Amino acid sequence: MALRTTRRNDGGSTPDGPSQPASGCETHPVDELLPPVKLITTGLQHVAAMYAGVVAPPLIVGAGVGLSPTELALLISASLFTAGLATLLQTLGVWRIGARLPFVNGVSFAGVAPMLAIAKEHGPKDALPVIFGAVIVAGILCLLAAPYFSKLVRYFPPVVQGTVITLIGVSLLPVAVNWARGGSPTAPGFGSVRAIGLAAFTLVAVVLCNKLLRGFWQQLSLLVGLAAGTLLAFPLGLADFGAVRDAEVFALPSPFHFGGPQFDAAAIASFCIVMVVSMTESTADMLALGKIVGREADERILTAGLRADGLASALSPVFNGFACSAFAQNIGLVALTKIRSRYVVAAGGGILILLGLFPVLGSMVSLVPQPVLGGAGIVLFGTVAASGIRTLAEAGMESSGNTILVSVSLGVGIVPIAAPDFYNAFPEAVRTLMHSGISAGCVMAVLLNLLFHHVGAARRSPTGEAPGATVPTATPS
């Protein structure tokens, strides 16, 4: 069914395009266009928060397929470039594609393990073309399935939303802890007092800036903390300008630089599973972001957002990029700064494109050491978990069913965090789904919600709806 163009009372936008504010109503903060200086600086904060997550997958996969340093730099630039395009598609939107929320997209880490498996099976020469072919097909699947997948929103009442949002924050905190130690056991000073001390210094700097600064500077507390931590890293020997000296000034993306796509059935099946996991996580992230910015992610917004994931993933391999999905760490930044404008994140998307086109600029962003990102990450990811706890408090925990739902879902979601190899003996499809604490906990929360609020209760209800399971709805797509 086609989407109907509607006008929101809050003056916001719909997936059909931005609407004008209703008479006497102010523009919704999501649609507020900030001054250029504020757009660029706050957009840069989003880039700093996601940069490590964008470059990690191409670094791992590039090493797995045996790329030379020059080719590896090209793969990283491609990931930055395609992440920028995907973010612009989500924030600004085209037709019925794009959530039009401050929603950051980048390379999905869920695809790393299957990509390494493909590299091992097909060898260095054919690995990337096979990966690109599988990503294109999986992206098209996501684009076509979006209107149907988004109907699952009725199974995401506040108790499920709160559980998933909390899990997003909890799942990301170990990442911040690893960054605080140095990011990799091969990194200089990994786990040393210097590295952890630098992370602690950055954490304190961000907290103090948020407490002592006011107005615009308070909103830049993360950027100020990152800058302070990076400056301290140089005398500690935890940062250097080597990456800047070796980087190219300009590099235009070359379509299918590593060869045209090849379509292998096993690789396609593997990536279709990855895409379903990514859609589950993107749905959870959009619900979380909608809560934070005060614009509920209803069925239409979810459909438009998932379409953007699918289209960006299908187009990304053309420019040598991988599958794209939501970056949950930026949700914490929105909650921390309270800047809800989607144009801020769009500015971040523009910066990502520039970093992809001008590798020397990307190398300057990479000067920020992992321990500095770790200290800031504890604040960001903890903020997401706090938002989830607040949502749970609003959902009401008087029901024993809700208590069991939350406790079991959190427990299942924490399993792959506490024991990453817990599902190693299971089939690949199960490992792909359950390896992420977010997707594992999300699936469990939805199943338990069905058990406690739909099975039996829905049949007894005259309307067929489970009591207490109301969520925002809209005209079906």
Side-chain angles (χ1 to χ4, degrees), residues 350-364:
I351 293 171
L352 285 169
I353 291 176
L354 289 176
L355 296 181
L357 293 174
F358 295 89
V360 66
L361 297 178
S363 65
M364 291 180 68

Side-chain angles (χ1 to χ4, degrees), residues 75-448:
L75 199 65
I76 292 172
S77 294
S79 293
L80 292 167
F81 180 78
T82 54
L85 292 178
T87 298
L88 288 178
L89 187 61
Q90 279 286 13
T91 53
L92 302 181
V94 176
W95 187 54
R96 298 171 182 174
I97 299 173
R100 291 175 173 86
L101 291 171
F103 198 48
V104 175
N105 269 43
V107 183
S108 172
F109 210 91
V112 170
M115 285 191 283
L116 292 177
I118 292 171
K120 184 177 180 180
E121 180 180 350
H122 292 272
K125 182 179 178 181
D126 294 327
L128 287 176
V130 170
I131 289 170
F132 292 152
V135 171
I136 290 172
V137 175
I140 294 173
L141 169 71
C142 177
L143 181 64
L144 297 176
Y148 308 100
F149 198 89
S150 63
K151 294 183 186 298
L152 295 177
V153 68
R154 69 186 294 263
Y155 302 115
F156 282 81
V159 66
V160 173
Q161 293 181 35
T163 302
V164 174
I165 296 169
T166 303
L167 263 175
I168 291 172
V170 171
S171 296
L172 290 171
L173 281 171
V175 177
V177 172
N178 188 55
W179 287 349
R181 300 176 68 196
S184 168
T186 61
F190 178 78
S192 65
V193 174
R194 286 183 303 157
I196 296 173
L198 181 60
F201 171 83
T202 305
L203 171 62
V204 171
V206 173
V207 171
L208 289 179
C209 288
N210 193 266
K211 170 66 176 176
L212 301 176
L213 301 179
R214 293 291 179 268
F216 175 61
W217 288 105
Q218 185 184 48
Q219 294 171 336
L220 290 181
S221 59
L222 179 80
L223 195 60
V224 174
L226 289 173
T230 302
L231 289 175
L232 180 60
F234 283 99
L236 292 177
L238 294 175
D240 64 72
F241 284 98
V244 178
R245 288 194 302 267
D246 299 335
E248 293 184 43
V249 176
F250 178 78
L252 191 66
S254 174
F256 295 122
H257 175 84
F258 297 98
Q262 299 178 21
F263 300 98
D264 178 84
I268 290 171
S270 177
F271 259 93
C272 285
I273 295 171
V274 169
M275 190 55 67
V276 171
V277 173
S278 295
M279 291 170 73
T280 303
E281 294 190 3
S282 286
T283 298
D285 290 340
M286 279 187 275
L287 291 170
L289 186 59
K291 284 279 185 184
I292 291 170
V293 302
R295 174 174 288 173
E296 298 284 353
D298 58 21
E299 188 178 314
R300 288 188 308 164
I301 289 178
L302 290 176
T303 297
L306 293 174
R307 281 174 176 156
D309 278 3
L311 181 59
S313 295
L315 294 178
S316 183
V318 176
F319 301 102
N320 311 294
F322 302 128
C324 297
S325 67
F327 267 49
Q329 52 261 53
N330 293 80
I331 297 174
L333 184 56
V334 173
L336 178 68
T337 63
K338 295 182 173 59
I339 298 177
R340 294 179 278 175
S341 171
R342 59 193 173 103
Y343 297 105
V344 164
V345 176
I351 293 171
L352 285 169
I353 291 176
L354 289 176
L355 296 181
L357 293 174
F358 295 89
V360 66
L361 297 178
S363 65
M364 291 180 68
V365 177
S366 68
L367 285 175
V368 180
Q370 294 281 328
V372 173
L373 288 174
I378 289 175
V379 181
L380 290 179
F381 307 155
T383 303
V384 177
S387 298
I389 294 170
R390 184 167 60 248
T391 302
L392 285 174
E394 295 169 356
M397 298 300 294
E398 297 83 5
S399 164
S400 61
N402 282 353
T403 301
I404 293 175
L405 185 156
V406 174
S407 59
V408 174
S409 300
L410 288 176
V412 170
I414 289 173
V415 166
I417 303 172
D421 58 351
F422 190 85
Y423 297 104
N424 280 4
F426 286 75
E428 183 179 349
V430 177
R431 293 201 306 269
T432 301
L433 177 65
M434 304 301 287
H435 181 71
S436 165
I438 298 172
S439 59
C442 180
V443 169
M444 181 57 63
V446 170
L447 291 176
L448 289 177

